[in-house]
Amino acid sequence: MKMTNGGAWISTLAIIATWATQTSAAAQTNETAEEQNRAGVSGSGDQIVVTASRRPQEINKIARSVVVISPELITENLNKSSNINDLISATIPGFGPPIQNDIVRAQTLRGRTPQFLIDGIPLGFNGGAGFGSSELAKFDPEILGRVEVLYGPNAVYGAGSTGGVIQFFTKDASAKPIELRLRQQFSTFFAADNPFDDEVLSYKTTIGASGTVNRFDYVLNYSFDSINGIVDGEGDLNNPIFYGFEDEKTLFAKVGVNLTDAQRVEAFYNVQELNPDGRNYLVSFTEDGRAIGREDPNQLPFNYGSDNEPINEKEFWNVRYTNDELLGGSLLVQYYGREEERVSEFIDLRLNAQSPFWPAVFPNNYQSFFTDEGYGVRSQYARSITDRINILVGVDYDEQERASDAVVFEITPDFDETRLVTTPVDEGRFLFPVTLETLGVFAQGEVEVNDRLRLSGGLRWEDVAFEIGGGRRIFELTLDAAGAQVERAGGSGENDGVAWNVGVSFDATDWLTVFGNFSQGFELPSLANIAGQVPSDQALESSDAIEPQIVDNYEIGIRGAFGIWDYTLAGFYSDSELGENFLYNPTTLVGEFNRAPQENYGLETVIGMNPTDELRLSAAFSWNDGDFDNEGDGLGTRPLSGLDVQPYKLVINANYDVTDDLELNAQILNVGDRDRAFDDGVDAFPFEGYTQVDVGAFYKAGPGTLGVQVTNLLDETYVTIGNQTYINNVIFAPRVVGAPGRQLTVAYDLTF
């Protein structure tokens, strides 16, 4: 694998604007960092210090787009949803709109794949994950202290971050010896027949403790989240087979010891368990194709064997050592790991056979089995050579393994009486098993030429070895010459190379900073999916389909604050000679991962305003698009799929402090149309835009804070962008569900 400059600077780069803030960062240049953080998402302001680039830096000095989501904004969004996906989708420009469940689908960052981290632990899988993965369904957002976004590929974190890095940071311990927190939340839907019935009334209980005693500190958090049904704007219950009706328990524990004033050891452990609540539902369809649910009159539980009892457990851990006075610099060494095991409930879709939306060739009952394991070591050393020269060097090692299978069970004439799920009649791969081993070595540097001009750059050498297991896809529709379902062989491969980056940041005035950068990155394709597309008589090693995509990214932008205003604006363009994009196949009725030259470009901008000390306003707009060209197919350049590129997103926010005890907030989310990929036959669906209005309030009531939130105030009936991608695809018709209708959430948060 060789990484090279993919092209010269493109004059039209100026079509792009940064990322931004959900609510205004500070308006005044002399405003304190605390006041700026209160605003929510910050993309400008020279007092905000971030660490997403693996060392502390002021935002104003970073030569690329950066976003910080504050604790206050996290709390505000928790009143809307306990889903971390909803939080980042509504607050991060350039990231796909909220899908309103815990998977990542049709949610790229500037049209490329982001890498998700929590305190340095990779939550995703570099290669093999595919669309619909659940990287964000591993922890409770209650444990978060802040979120930072570093846009574009980089030579710091390496493979799997061609769109950028979205890093979650856990809360720091309280300075008190002990601080307790209790939070109780309830949510329901106005359109439900009985909004207080346990079919639609969900609740969440959170208990936490935090403190510092001498050199020892700790953070503990336990939550129980009872998630019930979701009602859309028409008053219909969403398909409960895939959405809702489960109990989620999460335990997080972090402890730290300051060995000396300069040395510290810190460790945490997080475990989450999800259990279905035991009720059985059936799926049916409305006239417009929305999948809705109704309670199954047969509520006898399924009888599982010991090998297929439903399980959904996720855990990860982290141990780190830091020394801030080693040879004049700072050392960090980190060991992390994660494990996940999921055995789904029995999926009973027999009712679908009665629907014109369901193909007769598709199984109507099955279970899925999923495992994901990984561990790694990160080490880095940062040092100031002079007052104006800083360096960062490091070594990373990571190993990952993922597999996903499915089993179809026999439906006997007496199944509804026996409920036995023990006799398999077919089995195969959902995703082909993949094992990865990655070694990366990097170096970064920054030079402050003078008080206004800063130069930065670096490189990363990375080696990735992988192995793909063989087998047959469970829902494989392709047959060999003898009429048998195709068995595909596995394979292995290895790639290595160097990616580099360079950037410049210049303070043109006290209120205007100009920045620009070139950065490279590479990412393995979705190996677990692509392996199923390589002809069965062709060795994987000889196929271009498994080659990594090498991305060259260019960005320019400005940021600053003047008077009551703050603003960010940036532009980006990226290309890769061998990209990876989604392409619908009308013959097989499913999408395929297509390898072809690819380019992405976009626009993001935000304007914030603080007209008074009590009122904060912001408007953030992001748009991105892209194209690919399957050379030799005679179709020329075509638009990227909506799974790769989402429509524009406009978010308008207002926060008003009525009194010291009462704060009001409002948000308007507008998502646009996009049909160019559908018109060119790339997608089976056109995107239809929608608008959602949310309003809420926080009131200091007694010793705690009462939060009241109304989501989807206008009770609009629409399908989210992520779920629109299932439209006109009969296999996935049960996932076309309406967005939640008008929802009321009430929470009381007490800290003492």
Side-chain angles (χ1 to χ4, degrees):
M1 178 186 70
K2 180 185 285 185
M3 299 185 187
T4 59
N5 188 327
W9 281 89
I10 296 186
S11 60
T12 55
L13 265 194
I15 66 171
I16 243 157
T18 73
W19 60 109
T21 107
Q22 169 85 9
T23 46
S24 168
Q28 306 292 339
T29 57
N30 63 349
E31 192 172 26
T32 67
E34 180 181 357
E35 289 171 327
Q36 287 182 321
N37 278 332
R38 182 172 178 267
V41 177
S42 299
S44 64
D46 58 5
Q47 286 106 343
I48 303 298
V49 176
V50 300
T51 57
S53 57
R54 294 183 70 158
R55 66 187 181 90
Q57 289 181 282
E58 296 176 3
I59 283 184
N60 196 49
K61 296 182 178 181
I62 298 177
R64 62 169 67 216
S65 300
V66 182
V67 158
V68 180
I69 302 176
S70 72
E72 289 77 13
L73 187 57
I74 293 173
T75 299
E76 182 177 312
N77 278 268
L78 282 175
N79 261 26
K80 299 179 184 179
S81 169
S82 295
N83 190 334
I84 189 63
N85 195 326
D86 288 345
L87 166 67
I88 65 173
S89 301
T91 56
I92 299 177
F95 190 69
I99 189 175
Q100 294 168 335
N101 60 47
D102 59 11
I103 68 173
V104 179
R105 181 177 176 84
Q107 289 178 307
T108 57
L109 186 62
R110 293 183 170 181
R112 302 279 184 174
T113 304
Q115 185 181 54
F116 298 101
L117 304 168
I118 183 165
D119 284 357
I121 301 175
L123 296 172
F125 192 81
N126 176 32
F131 293 106
S133 52
S134 58
E135 289 96 331
L136 302 180
K138 293 176 168 45
F139 60 92
D140 182 357
E142 299 277 0
I143 70 174
L144 296 181
R146 70 186 189 283
V147 183
E148 296 181 5
V149 184
L150 193 68
Y151 284 82
N154 62 79
V156 178
Y157 286 102
S161 58
T162 53
V165 174
I166 300 177
Q167 179 147 208
F168 306 98
F169 292 90
T170 58
K171 289 181 177 178
D172 293 328
S174 169
K176 301 176 182 178
I178 183 169
E179 182 177 85
L180 300 178
R181 181 184 181 222
L182 300 174
R183 186 175 188 272
Q184 184 63 56
Q185 176 174 309
F186 296 93
S187 62
T188 189
F189 296 90
F190 289 90
D193 292 337
N194 183 356
F196 301 103
D197 185 89
D198 63 359
E199 186 176 52
V200 296
L201 179 64
S202 298
Y203 66 90
K204 181 178 181 180
T205 303
T206 302
I207 304 172
S210 175
T212 301
V213 180
N214 298 323
R215 293 185 177 273
F216 172 81
D217 55 76
Y218 62 94
V219 178
L220 303 173
N221 194 87
Y222 173 80
S223 64
F224 178 82
D225 197 356
S226 178
I227 306 167
N228 287 313
I230 299 172
V231 174
D232 64 22
E234 295 294 326
D236 294 317
L237 186 70
N238 278 351
N239 174 10
I241 293 178
F242 296 109
Y243 303 95
F245 292 101
E246 62 184 10
D247 295 332
E248 177 181 294
K249 294 178 287 186
T250 306
L251 174 66
F252 172 79
K254 180 168 71 170
V255 296
V257 180
N258 295 317
L259 303 177
T260 68
D261 291 343
Q263 298 182 72
R264 176 176 172 82
V265 175
E266 183 179 278
F268 75 64
Y269 174 74
N270 185 92
V271 60
Q272 183 185 83
E273 180 180 321
L274 286 83
N275 298 302
D277 74 351
R279 284 177 287 185
N280 300 317
Y281 283 81
L282 301 173
V283 62
S284 58
F285 298 91
T286 63
E287 291 184 359
D288 60 0
R290 282 181 296 114
I292 61 175
R294 61 181 177 83
E295 196 163 7
D296 188 344
N298 186 352
Q299 285 297 315
L300 290 174
F302 295 120
N303 293 320
Y304 297 98
S306 59
D307 294 335
N308 62 324
E309 187 74 28
I311 298 171
N312 195 335
E313 295 180 349
K314 308 166 188 178
E315 58 182 336
F316 54 84
W317 59 90
N318 179 42
V319 180
R320 65 166 64 193
Y321 165 79
T322 56
N323 187 334
D324 295 333
E325 294 182 359
L326 181 64
L327 302 176
S330 299
L331 172 71
L332 181 150
V333 180
Q334 174 184 23
Y335 170 77
Y336 61 83
R338 72 169 191 270
E339 292 184 5
E340 180 175 354
E341 181 180 8
R342 297 201 309 263
V343 177
S344 76
E345 291 183 89
F346 181 70
I347 307 297
D348 187 356
L349 299 176
R350 287 173 292 165
L351 185 63
N352 291 355
Q354 306 171 21
S355 167
F357 298 100
W358 195 254
V361 297
F362 200 73
N364 291 317
N365 62 90
Y366 63 92
Q367 267 188 294
S368 62
F369 300 78
F370 175 89
T371 58
D372 179 15
E373 297 181 3
Y375 70 90
V377 177
R378 295 189 188 277
S379 60
Q380 66 182 58
Y381 179 75
R383 190 178 191 278
S384 296
I385 305 301
T386 71
D387 291 342
R388 293 186 177 274
I389 301 177
N390 302 299
I391 62 168
L392 173 70
V393 296
V395 178
D396 298 331
Y397 174 80
D398 185 81
E399 187 169 317
Q400 306 177 42
E401 184 175 352
R402 175 173 285 189
S404 181
D405 299 327
V407 175
V408 176
F409 291 91
E410 180 181 13
I411 297 292
T412 60
D414 60 349
F415 177 80
D416 289 324
E417 288 75 37
T418 66
R419 311 293 276 182
L420 290 175
V421 187
T422 57
T423 308
V425 295
D426 192 16
E427 59 184 284
R429 307 291 193 193
F430 248 143
L431 299 173
F432 289 91
V434 176
T435 300
L436 294 176
E437 190 173 7
T438 305
L439 176 65
V441 180
F442 67 91
Q444 292 283 117
E446 182 182 272
V447 178
E448 293 193 28
V449 179
N450 53 47
D451 291 342
R452 291 184 177 273
L453 178 63
R454 294 165 295 275
L455 304 177
S456 61
L459 52 84
R460 181 185 182 96
W461 172 83
E462 195 151 69
D463 179 89
V464 182
F466 59 88
E467 184 173 347
I468 307 172
R472 178 182 63 82
R473 281 190 170 179
I474 186 68
F475 302 143
E476 180 70 75
L477 303 180
T478 304
L479 305 179
D480 62 19
Q485 291 177 313
V486 173
E487 291 278 342
R488 301 183 184 275
S492 60
E494 185 171 3
N495 295 284
D496 72 286
V498 175
W500 61 280
N501 64 279
V502 61
V504 58
S505 174
F506 177 66
D507 297 335
T509 69
D510 292 340
W511 47 268
L512 174 65
T513 297
V514 181
F515 65 89
N517 69 78
F518 166 80
S519 59
Q520 280 188 324
F522 86 99
E523 179 184 33
L524 291 176
S526 300
L527 298 173
N529 291 286
I530 284 181
Q533 299 174 196
V534 176
S536 58
D537 58 353
Q538 179 182 353
L540 285 175
E541 291 86 347
S542 63
S543 173
D544 290 340
I546 65 173
E547 290 295 311
Q549 58 172 324
I550 304 165
V551 178
D552 292 334
N553 183 79
Y554 309 85
E555 180 185 26
I556 57 175
I558 60 173
R559 55 178 165 241
F562 183 80
I564 65 171
W565 301 90
D566 68 86
Y567 53 88
T568 58
L569 178 69
F572 72 90
Y573 170 88
S574 67
D575 64 46
S576 50
E577 293 184 7
L578 188 61
E580 179 184 18
N581 64 285
F582 181 88
L583 186 62
Y584 177 68
N585 187 329
T587 302
T588 62
L589 307 178
V590 297
E592 298 178 351
F593 290 83
N594 181 57
R595 307 305 306 276
Q598 175 180 329
E599 61 179 4
N600 293 80
Y601 42 87
L603 171 66
E604 303 160 7
T605 188
V606 63
I607 298 175
M609 181 176 64
N610 287 30
T612 68
D613 291 339
E614 296 78 23
L615 180 62
R616 302 175 297 281
L617 305 170
S618 72
F621 176 81
S622 58
W623 166 84
N624 71 96
D625 215 316
D627 305 283
F628 72 98
D629 185 2
N630 275 335
E631 298 172 352
D633 66 1
L635 298 176
T637 300
R638 290 192 286 169
L640 290 173
S641 165
L643 278 164
D644 302 304
V645 173
Q646 290 79 58
Y648 78 76
K649 181 175 66 177
L650 172 65
V651 181
I652 300 174
N653 283 275
N655 292 73
Y656 181 61
D657 296 330
V658 180
T659 67
D660 291 341
D661 295 333
L662 176 63
E663 177 188 342
L664 305 179
N665 64 77
Q667 180 185 88
I668 300 174
L669 169 68
N670 175 248
V671 179
D673 298 330
R674 186 176 186 269
D675 55 12
R676 59 188 299 254
F678 173 73
D679 292 342
D680 277 23
V682 175
D683 282 338
F685 52 88
F687 280 139
E688 293 186 6
Y690 49 85
T691 299
Q692 178 173 309
V693 178
D694 304 332
V695 296
F698 288 96
Y699 180 70
K700 293 181 181 179
T705 301
L706 177 67
V708 179
Q709 192 77 35
V710 178
T711 307
N712 195 2
L713 176 67
L714 304 182
D715 206 25
E716 291 291 324
T717 300
Y718 67 90
V719 177
T720 65
I721 293 300
N723 287 334
Q724 285 186 44
T725 60
Y726 297 119
I727 293 175
N728 295 334
N729 188 322
V730 291
I731 289 179
F732 296 106
R735 295 182 182 265
V736 180
V737 301
R742 186 183 295 124
Q743 183 178 15
L744 172 67
T745 301
V746 179
Y748 189 72
D749 198 329
L750 175 63
T751 300
F752 57 95

